[in-house]
Amino acid sequence: LPFGGRFSRSLRVRDRRALATVSPTSAEMALSTSQVVGCRRFLSALFLAAGLIHSAGAAAADFAAAADASEAVVEAAAQQLHVGDPTAFQKASYLLRTIEKFKASAQLARLNVERRHRAEEVRLSAAIKEAEAPGTKLALAQSLSADERALKEKSGENVEKFSESMSAVLASATLGGTGCEEMVCGEHASCTVTSTGAECICKEGYVGLGKSCHAPVDFKPHRLVDPAFSGGLPTQAIDLHVSAFQTDRIAIVFRDVSQGNAGKIVIGSAREGGLADLAPPQLFTTGDGKAFSPIVAGTEGGRLAVAWRDENRMGTCWVRGAAVGSTNIRGADLSLAWGDKVNFCMGQAHKMAFADLPGDRVAILFSDRSKATLSAPAGSFGSSVLASIGDKGGVSLLGQFRFSEHPVCRLEATKLSPTAFIIAARAGSALDDLDPSVATKQEAMAIYAEVIDNDLVFNPNPANIEPARSQIWSRGVSLIAPDTFAYAYQDGVDMKVKMAVLEVSPTTHMMQVVQRPAVIRDGFSPYVSMLATPYLPSQPHTLVYYEDHAANRSMVNLCTWSLQSKKLEGCEDFVWLNQKPLSVAGAALPGGKILLAFAAAPSGEPHY
């Protein structure tokens, strides 16, 4: 009361009895104090716990710290017994139940306060009527007004509204009935917390309901050869190779074991959605000729070149050209006009490589041998042939050029520009000219090459990625950014698939390793190949396809190449085939797509 002790002592007994009805009891004051303290504790705990909801991966110790700050949270958490640390979903559920209890408590407290207020209002009104002294009436009226203000402060409406808002936020995180920790998504799916709770969402490129995601029907394996085109007889393919040219055209060559190892080619056009219009297979070998490790290259002018050897060992090298759609007959845009085959080397036992060049020309890369003479023993070296394909498919050899003085094998190539390319090879060791006892291993060698007029020119300073290691087996190479290429290979000693990145100086054409070999897969793969598939110049990627030998499946590895840090980042593995094919080859298509052709095991039937 605002009047002081002297006024209180001067009141008559009846007025003091009336004023006594205004004084709060000790129990009421304790209740008010406990509500304030409890509200502060709850808010402290709530804001700590809100951090747990924001970071779903917070440790259980963070939850315990928040729970210690609020007896209500501890009580709610103690009602359920869990083994191990609580999950993010459990934490959110605990908090949701606690908020609901606090809201109910606040509502009950508000109703009790309102009930007491109405009773006090009745008593004060009666006391005002009974009071005789004007000062007493004024004091009682001021007490009644103060009690009205106290009612508004104690009503708890703000606390109830706050609880409702927090409950809505927590409910949106737990509405799905579970958190990502409890979700088991199917293959090709991942868990995502949405506005309706945790859900399994199919990964990009897959369709389904989350629990069962699969590739679109058009992206599933399709037969490369229609049985109707082979007289109903099965085709047993091996040694597949693929080339993409003229935006959407594809050419696939293989050795048909079921027809005496004859060489065949299938040409077609890739369509949207993962299908292709394919022509019937054609023989590119003549008579009873065989084709081991055939390769194919297409040019922007609509020419094809196919190279092969006619025996597995000590075979003769042949190249044959074809013009695509040169008949000008409507509906015959996939017809081939073949030229005669041309011999360009002997004694071949290794796979060759192609690089297509402007002017309907190709560079053929192969391992060659020189015969022994009186002054020099027989030797092996890396050689190349520059050839052009005419409008009728005829092949003209423009020149032969050495690119290495050392024996080479496992040849691969990738274009750097319309006129430049990189050769990847396994080569013999290089001896120091001044000290022959010093040898540099060239198991993972890269050579810069360029066509100038009708000459092939090679940088005599190759890059050796692992100059101290041996047993570097299968490999692939691909352009990933301007003057930047990736080099992936199988380390036969450590049994790991590794990848390095090199940059080429646009002026000196010297190569520098900017990303040391990084392990992208443990284990053995009989093949490691790469495709040049940058999505955008500003978002370069690497693509390696290989075999998961232990799991009996075929994989694709994708990595992002950071132009700023010059490092491989975000590498991911994807299953593209749940089996180990007998043979596989691929080519990049427009729009970020690739085509993979393979011979299914054990039948050898070709698919794409």
Short mmCIF file of all heavy atoms in Angstrom, two decimals, residues 414-454:
data_model
loop_
_atom_site.label_atom_id
_atom_site.label_comp_id
_atom_site.label_asym_id
_atom_site.label_seq_id
_atom_site.Cartn_x
_atom_site.Cartn_y
_atom_site.Cartn_z
N THR A 414 43.62 -38.24 -75.37
CA THR A 414 42.51 -37.31 -75.20
C THR A 414 42.86 -36.00 -75.88
O THR A 414 44.03 -35.59 -75.93
CB THR A 414 42.22 -37.06 -73.70
OG1 THR A 414 41.02 -36.31 -73.57
CG2 THR A 414 43.34 -36.30 -73.02
N LYS A 415 41.84 -35.34 -76.43
CA LYS A 415 42.05 -34.08 -77.15
C LYS A 415 42.19 -32.93 -76.15
O LYS A 415 41.43 -32.82 -75.19
CB LYS A 415 40.88 -33.82 -78.10
CG LYS A 415 40.72 -34.82 -79.22
CD LYS A 415 41.77 -34.61 -80.31
CE LYS A 415 41.54 -33.31 -81.05
NZ LYS A 415 40.25 -33.28 -81.80
N LEU A 416 43.16 -32.05 -76.39
CA LEU A 416 43.29 -30.81 -75.65
C LEU A 416 42.64 -29.65 -76.40
O LEU A 416 42.10 -28.72 -75.81
CB LEU A 416 44.76 -30.47 -75.39
CG LEU A 416 45.47 -31.16 -74.22
CD1 LEU A 416 46.86 -30.60 -74.08
CD2 LEU A 416 44.70 -31.00 -72.92
N SER A 417 42.74 -29.70 -77.70
CA SER A 417 42.19 -28.68 -78.59
C SER A 417 41.93 -29.36 -79.93
O SER A 417 42.25 -30.54 -80.10
CB SER A 417 43.16 -27.51 -78.73
OG SER A 417 44.30 -27.90 -79.48
N PRO A 418 41.37 -28.66 -80.92
CA PRO A 418 41.15 -29.32 -82.21
C PRO A 418 42.42 -29.89 -82.83
O PRO A 418 42.34 -30.88 -83.58
CB PRO A 418 40.56 -28.20 -83.07
CG PRO A 418 39.87 -27.32 -82.09
CD PRO A 418 40.72 -27.33 -80.86
N THR A 419 43.58 -29.32 -82.52
CA THR A 419 44.82 -29.78 -83.16
C THR A 419 45.81 -30.42 -82.19
O THR A 419 46.85 -30.91 -82.63
CB THR A 419 45.51 -28.60 -83.86
OG1 THR A 419 45.81 -27.59 -82.90
CG2 THR A 419 44.62 -28.02 -84.95
N ALA A 420 45.53 -30.40 -80.89
CA ALA A 420 46.48 -30.92 -79.90
C ALA A 420 45.84 -32.03 -79.09
O ALA A 420 44.63 -32.04 -78.86
CB ALA A 420 46.97 -29.80 -78.99
N PHE A 421 46.66 -32.97 -78.62
CA PHE A 421 46.16 -34.08 -77.81
C PHE A 421 47.26 -34.57 -76.88
O PHE A 421 48.45 -34.24 -77.04
CB PHE A 421 45.63 -35.21 -78.69
CG PHE A 421 46.62 -35.77 -79.69
CD1 PHE A 421 47.37 -36.90 -79.42
CD2 PHE A 421 46.78 -35.16 -80.94
CE1 PHE A 421 48.27 -37.42 -80.35
CE2 PHE A 421 47.67 -35.67 -81.88
CZ PHE A 421 48.42 -36.79 -81.58
N ILE A 422 46.84 -35.34 -75.90
CA ILE A 422 47.74 -35.93 -74.91
C ILE A 422 47.75 -37.44 -75.09
O ILE A 422 46.70 -38.06 -75.24
CB ILE A 422 47.32 -35.57 -73.47
CG1 ILE A 422 47.46 -34.08 -73.23
CG2 ILE A 422 48.13 -36.35 -72.44
CD1 ILE A 422 48.89 -33.57 -73.23
N ILE A 423 48.94 -38.03 -75.04
CA ILE A 423 49.10 -39.48 -75.10
C ILE A 423 49.43 -39.97 -73.70
O ILE A 423 50.33 -39.44 -73.04
CB ILE A 423 50.21 -39.89 -76.07
CG1 ILE A 423 49.97 -39.30 -77.46
CG2 ILE A 423 50.34 -41.40 -76.13
CD1 ILE A 423 51.15 -39.48 -78.40
N ALA A 424 48.70 -40.97 -73.24
CA ALA A 424 49.02 -41.65 -71.98
C ALA A 424 49.56 -43.03 -72.32
O ALA A 424 49.00 -43.73 -73.16
CB ALA A 424 47.79 -41.76 -71.09
N ALA A 425 50.64 -43.43 -71.68
CA ALA A 425 51.28 -44.70 -72.03
C ALA A 425 52.07 -45.25 -70.85
O ALA A 425 52.46 -44.51 -69.94
CB ALA A 425 52.21 -44.52 -73.23
N ARG A 426 52.28 -46.54 -70.88
CA ARG A 426 53.23 -47.21 -70.02
C ARG A 426 54.48 -47.45 -70.85
O ARG A 426 54.41 -48.12 -71.90
CB ARG A 426 52.68 -48.53 -69.49
CG ARG A 426 53.59 -49.23 -68.51
CD ARG A 426 53.06 -50.59 -68.10
NE ARG A 426 53.89 -51.19 -67.07
CZ ARG A 426 53.78 -52.44 -66.64
NH1 ARG A 426 52.85 -53.24 -67.16
NH2 ARG A 426 54.59 -52.91 -65.69
N ALA A 427 55.60 -46.91 -70.41
CA ALA A 427 56.83 -46.97 -71.21
C ALA A 427 57.97 -47.53 -70.39
O ALA A 427 57.93 -47.58 -69.15
CB ALA A 427 57.19 -45.57 -71.73
N GLY A 428 58.99 -47.95 -71.12
CA GLY A 428 60.19 -48.44 -70.46
C GLY A 428 60.94 -47.31 -69.77
O GLY A 428 60.75 -46.12 -70.05
N SER A 429 61.82 -47.67 -68.85
CA SER A 429 62.56 -46.68 -68.07
C SER A 429 63.49 -45.87 -68.97
O SER A 429 64.02 -46.36 -69.97
CB SER A 429 63.38 -47.36 -66.98
OG SER A 429 62.53 -48.04 -66.06
N ALA A 430 63.69 -44.61 -68.59
CA ALA A 430 64.59 -43.70 -69.32
C ALA A 430 65.88 -43.59 -68.54
O ALA A 430 65.89 -43.29 -67.34
CB ALA A 430 63.93 -42.35 -69.49
N LEU A 431 67.00 -43.81 -69.23
CA LEU A 431 68.32 -43.72 -68.60
C LEU A 431 68.88 -42.31 -68.74
O LEU A 431 68.67 -41.64 -69.76
CB LEU A 431 69.28 -44.73 -69.21
CG LEU A 431 68.86 -46.21 -69.14
CD1 LEU A 431 69.90 -47.10 -69.80
CD2 LEU A 431 68.63 -46.63 -67.69
N ASP A 432 69.57 -41.88 -67.72
CA ASP A 432 70.21 -40.57 -67.75
C ASP A 432 71.34 -40.58 -68.77
O ASP A 432 72.16 -41.50 -68.78
CB ASP A 432 70.72 -40.22 -66.35
CG ASP A 432 71.17 -38.77 -66.26
OD1 ASP A 432 72.22 -38.43 -66.85
OD2 ASP A 432 70.47 -37.99 -65.61
N ASP A 433 71.39 -39.55 -69.63
CA ASP A 433 72.42 -39.51 -70.67
C ASP A 433 73.82 -39.40 -70.08
O ASP A 433 74.79 -39.93 -70.66
CB ASP A 433 72.17 -38.33 -71.60
CG ASP A 433 70.91 -38.52 -72.42
OD1 ASP A 433 70.50 -39.69 -72.61
OD2 ASP A 433 70.32 -37.51 -72.86
N LEU A 434 73.96 -38.72 -68.95
CA LEU A 434 75.28 -38.54 -68.33
C LEU A 434 75.63 -39.68 -67.37
O LEU A 434 76.81 -39.98 -67.20
CB LEU A 434 75.32 -37.20 -67.58
CG LEU A 434 75.11 -35.95 -68.44
CD1 LEU A 434 75.14 -34.71 -67.58
CD2 LEU A 434 76.18 -35.87 -69.54
N ASP A 435 74.63 -40.28 -66.77
CA ASP A 435 74.87 -41.36 -65.82
C ASP A 435 73.88 -42.48 -66.10
O ASP A 435 72.75 -42.46 -65.60
CB ASP A 435 74.73 -40.86 -64.39
CG ASP A 435 75.12 -41.92 -63.36
OD1 ASP A 435 75.46 -43.05 -63.77
OD2 ASP A 435 75.08 -41.61 -62.15
N PRO A 436 74.24 -43.47 -66.91
CA PRO A 436 73.30 -44.55 -67.27
C PRO A 436 72.81 -45.36 -66.08
O PRO A 436 71.83 -46.11 -66.21
CB PRO A 436 74.12 -45.42 -68.23
CG PRO A 436 75.19 -44.51 -68.76
CD PRO A 436 75.51 -43.58 -67.64
N SER A 437 73.47 -45.24 -64.92
CA SER A 437 73.01 -45.99 -63.75
C SER A 437 71.77 -45.37 -63.12
O SER A 437 71.12 -45.99 -62.28
CB SER A 437 74.12 -46.06 -62.70
OG SER A 437 74.45 -44.75 -62.22
N VAL A 438 71.45 -44.14 -63.53
CA VAL A 438 70.26 -43.45 -63.01
C VAL A 438 69.13 -43.65 -64.00
O VAL A 438 69.22 -43.26 -65.17
CB VAL A 438 70.54 -41.95 -62.80
CG1 VAL A 438 69.28 -41.24 -62.31
CG2 VAL A 438 71.69 -41.75 -61.82
N ALA A 439 68.05 -44.26 -63.53
CA ALA A 439 66.92 -44.55 -64.40
C ALA A 439 65.65 -43.91 -63.84
O ALA A 439 65.44 -43.89 -62.63
CB ALA A 439 66.72 -46.06 -64.55
N THR A 440 64.83 -43.38 -64.73
CA THR A 440 63.53 -42.81 -64.37
C THR A 440 62.44 -43.72 -64.89
O THR A 440 62.37 -43.98 -66.10
CB THR A 440 63.36 -41.40 -64.96
OG1 THR A 440 64.39 -40.55 -64.46
CG2 THR A 440 62.00 -40.83 -64.59
N LYS A 441 61.61 -44.20 -63.99
CA LYS A 441 60.51 -45.07 -64.42
C LYS A 441 59.45 -44.23 -65.13
O LYS A 441 59.11 -43.13 -64.71
CB LYS A 441 59.91 -45.80 -63.23
CG LYS A 441 60.90 -46.76 -62.56
CD LYS A 441 60.21 -47.56 -61.47
CE LYS A 441 61.20 -48.47 -60.76
NZ LYS A 441 61.85 -49.45 -61.68
N GLN A 442 58.92 -44.78 -66.22
CA GLN A 442 57.92 -44.10 -67.03
C GLN A 442 56.64 -44.93 -67.14
O GLN A 442 56.06 -45.09 -68.20
CB GLN A 442 58.48 -43.78 -68.43
CG GLN A 442 59.73 -42.92 -68.40
CD GLN A 442 60.18 -42.52 -69.79
OE1 GLN A 442 60.17 -41.36 -70.16
NE2 GLN A 442 60.58 -43.51 -70.57
N GLU A 443 56.24 -45.47 -65.99
CA GLU A 443 55.06 -46.33 -65.95
C GLU A 443 53.76 -45.55 -66.14
O GLU A 443 52.76 -46.11 -66.59
CB GLU A 443 55.02 -47.09 -64.63
CG GLU A 443 56.20 -48.03 -64.42
CD GLU A 443 55.94 -49.41 -64.94
OE1 GLU A 443 54.76 -49.78 -65.06
OE2 GLU A 443 56.90 -50.14 -65.23
N ALA A 444 53.78 -44.27 -65.77
CA ALA A 444 52.60 -43.41 -65.95
C ALA A 444 53.07 -42.16 -66.68
O ALA A 444 53.25 -41.10 -66.09
CB ALA A 444 51.95 -43.07 -64.62
N MET A 445 53.25 -42.29 -67.99
CA MET A 445 53.84 -41.23 -68.80
C MET A 445 52.76 -40.50 -69.59
O MET A 445 51.77 -41.09 -70.03
CB MET A 445 54.87 -41.83 -69.77
CG MET A 445 55.59 -40.80 -70.63
SD MET A 445 56.87 -41.54 -71.68
CE MET A 445 55.85 -42.45 -72.84
N ALA A 446 52.97 -39.20 -69.77
CA ALA A 446 52.08 -38.37 -70.59
C ALA A 446 52.93 -37.57 -71.56
O ALA A 446 53.99 -37.03 -71.21
CB ALA A 446 51.26 -37.43 -69.72
N ILE A 447 52.49 -37.50 -72.83
CA ILE A 447 53.23 -36.81 -73.89
C ILE A 447 52.29 -35.83 -74.58
O ILE A 447 51.16 -36.18 -74.93
CB ILE A 447 53.82 -37.81 -74.91
CG1 ILE A 447 54.79 -38.76 -74.24
CG2 ILE A 447 54.51 -37.08 -76.06
CD1 ILE A 447 55.31 -39.85 -75.16
N TYR A 448 52.76 -34.62 -74.78
CA TYR A 448 52.00 -33.62 -75.52
C TYR A 448 52.26 -33.80 -77.02
O TYR A 448 53.41 -33.97 -77.45
CB TYR A 448 52.40 -32.21 -75.09
CG TYR A 448 51.75 -31.11 -75.90
CD1 TYR A 448 50.50 -30.62 -75.56
CD2 TYR A 448 52.39 -30.58 -77.03
CE1 TYR A 448 49.90 -29.62 -76.31
CE2 TYR A 448 51.79 -29.58 -77.78
CZ TYR A 448 50.55 -29.10 -77.42
OH TYR A 448 49.96 -28.12 -78.16
N ALA A 449 51.18 -33.76 -77.82
CA ALA A 449 51.30 -33.93 -79.28
C ALA A 449 50.44 -32.88 -79.98
O ALA A 449 49.44 -32.41 -79.44
CB ALA A 449 50.87 -35.33 -79.69
N GLU A 450 50.84 -32.55 -81.23
CA GLU A 450 50.13 -31.53 -81.99
C GLU A 450 50.31 -31.79 -83.48
O GLU A 450 51.37 -32.29 -83.91
CB GLU A 450 50.66 -30.15 -81.62
CG GLU A 450 49.88 -28.99 -82.21
CD GLU A 450 50.40 -27.66 -81.71
OE1 GLU A 450 51.44 -27.63 -81.00
OE2 GLU A 450 49.79 -26.62 -82.03
N VAL A 451 49.29 -31.50 -84.25
CA VAL A 451 49.41 -31.59 -85.70
C VAL A 451 49.66 -30.19 -86.25
O VAL A 451 48.96 -29.24 -85.92
CB VAL A 451 48.15 -32.22 -86.33
CG1 VAL A 451 46.91 -31.41 -86.05
CG2 VAL A 451 48.35 -32.42 -87.83
N ILE A 452 50.70 -30.08 -87.06
CA ILE A 452 51.05 -28.83 -87.74
C ILE A 452 51.16 -29.14 -89.22
O ILE A 452 52.03 -29.92 -89.63
CB ILE A 452 52.36 -28.23 -87.20
CG1 ILE A 452 52.23 -27.94 -85.69
CG2 ILE A 452 52.72 -26.96 -87.94
CD1 ILE A 452 53.52 -27.43 -85.07
N ASP A 453 50.27 -28.55 -90.00
CA ASP A 453 50.16 -28.90 -91.41
C ASP A 453 49.89 -30.40 -91.51
O ASP A 453 48.90 -30.87 -90.98
CB ASP A 453 51.41 -28.47 -92.17
CG ASP A 453 51.58 -26.95 -92.16
OD1 ASP A 453 50.56 -26.24 -92.12
OD2 ASP A 453 52.74 -26.48 -92.15
N ASN A 454 50.76 -31.16 -92.17
CA ASN A 454 50.59 -32.60 -92.27
C ASN A 454 51.68 -33.34 -91.50
O ASN A 454 52.10 -34.44 -91.89
CB ASN A 454 50.59 -33.05 -93.73
CG ASN A 454 49.25 -32.82 -94.40
OD1 ASN A 454 48.20 -32.87 -93.74
ND2 ASN A 454 49.25 -32.55 -95.70
#
